[in-house]
Amino acid sequence: MILVLVLIAITVVTLCLTIYLLGRQSLDWYSRKVVSTAVSDLEGAFMFVSPAKLLVICGVVTVIATTGGFLLMSVPGALFGFVGGVVALPVFIIQLKKRRRDQFIYQLPDALRSMAGAMQAGATVVRAIELVGTRQPKPLGQEFSLVLSEYRMGRDLEKSLENLKARVDCEELELLNAAVQVSRTVGGNLSQSLESLASTLQSKAQTEGKVRALTSMGKMQGWVLSMMPVFVGIALYAQKPDEMSLMFTTGIGWLLLFVATLLLISAIYTIRKIVTIDV
């Protein structure tokens, strides 16, 4: 009897130590890969948060999501809540970058027209960028101010504009960089080029807005149809938990869930490909 108790104690201690080590390694990996990247992306968006504070926020969100899922659907709900809490930060960063990029593209034609007007009045390219950085709203004003700061610290203007394109990930800036580079190396009427570029980008933005308006209904229908199996499963689990628990406690149930997840992901991907039109 004593030997059995000793073996049980050793097993429990070993299991706890293994869980602790795996949890610590997973936390270190999450902190290095996810949190550090998120902090860098937030700094690029002029939002400054310490890695420790961001990690605590992620931990609190994960605990709340796991607890809420457990209260709704027991162990399966806790698993879904834990996964949702873990991926919440990367999803938030992706949406933040996309929203900031869309705002930048929306403000770019007006900024180019302001630069063209300033250059027609006799200002240099650097002075025109300075006026845009101080008078345009964020995020465009912030990004152009950073370009000007890099230039004043000794970096070449073309290199600073290339860094701007890398930060914002905006294809429209390639035309701006090309126009500035040609004007500084070969010559030409840069103000007229910027005015034409602004008109082109504004027409492109109007076309993309019409396309988004026409495809928004299809995207919404796709999300509703894709999430309907999840909502139906939650409703069935709330009504008949004993029968639905077989989906999470048997091998056939896990296989069905895996196949259903693959089909759901493929359906979402296919619908988004159909309704996403590149102008």
Side-chain angles (χ1 to χ4, degrees), residues 82-273:
F82 177 78
V83 174
V86 170
V87 302
L89 179 60
V91 171
F92 171 75
I93 294 299
I94 292 173
Q95 293 298 321
L96 177 65
K97 293 174 66 176
K98 182 179 181 300
R99 181 180 178 183
R100 184 177 177 86
R101 177 179 176 275
D102 292 341
Q103 290 179 346
F104 184 92
I105 295 175
Y106 178 78
Q107 297 170 356
L108 187 58
D110 292 337
L112 294 179
R113 286 195 174 92
S114 297
M115 291 178 61
M119 296 181 66
Q120 289 175 0
T124 61
V125 179
V126 177
R127 177 57 181 169
I129 293 176
E130 182 181 1
L131 292 175
V132 170
T134 54
R135 297 181 180 180
Q136 290 292 326
K138 61 181 183 180
L140 189 140
Q142 294 174 332
E143 296 293 346
F144 273 82
S145 297
L146 187 57
V147 170
L148 184 63
S149 299
E150 292 181 355
Y151 175 77
R152 288 175 175 175
M153 293 180 64
R155 181 168 292 176
D156 190 69
L157 182 60
E158 286 79 7
K159 182 62 177 176
S160 299
L161 291 175
E162 290 179 0
N163 293 338
L164 171 62
K165 178 184 177 298
R167 288 195 306 271
V168 183
D169 191 18
C170 175
E171 296 179 355
E172 285 78 2
L173 288 175
E174 291 183 0
L175 299 176
L176 174 61
N177 297 350
V180 173
Q181 185 176 2
V182 170
S183 175
R184 290 172 65 89
T185 56
V186 179
N189 192 346
L190 180 58
S191 61
Q192 185 177 359
S193 300
L194 294 179
E195 187 70 30
S196 300
L197 179 58
S199 300
T200 302
L201 294 181
Q202 189 172 17
S203 300
K204 181 175 180 291
Q206 292 175 354
T207 304
E208 289 179 345
K210 293 179 181 179
V211 171
R212 283 195 298 267
L214 293 174
T215 58
S216 60
M217 182 62 68
K219 292 181 180 179
M220 182 59 65
Q221 291 176 351
W223 279 112
V224 171
L225 293 176
S226 300
M227 297 306 296
M228 187 176 295
V230 179
F231 295 142
V232 171
I234 294 174
L236 291 176
Y237 188 89
Q239 294 177 0
K240 296 183 178 181
D242 295 334
E243 288 80 355
M244 288 297 296
S245 61
L246 297 176
M247 295 288 293
F248 309 100
T249 57
T250 61
I252 297 178
W254 282 106
L255 179 61
L256 292 176
L257 286 176
F258 178 73
V259 174
T261 303
L262 289 181
L263 293 175
L264 191 61
I265 293 174
S266 62
I268 295 174
Y269 178 78
T270 303
I271 292 174
R272 289 189 64 86
K273 279 293 184 181

Side-chain angles (χ1 to χ4, degrees), residues 34-90:
V34 180
V35 176
S36 299
T37 304
V39 169
S40 178
D41 292 335
L42 289 174
E43 289 178 353
F46 294 85
M47 298 173 63
F48 303 97
V49 182
S50 63
K53 185 177 181 180
L54 189 60
L55 186 61
V56 170
I57 294 174
C58 293
V60 172
V61 172
T62 303
V63 170
I64 294 175
T66 304
T67 305
F70 180 79
L71 294 177
L72 291 175
M73 295 180 59
S74 185
V75 177
L79 180 61
F80 289 139
F82 177 78
V83 174
V86 170
V87 302
L89 179 60

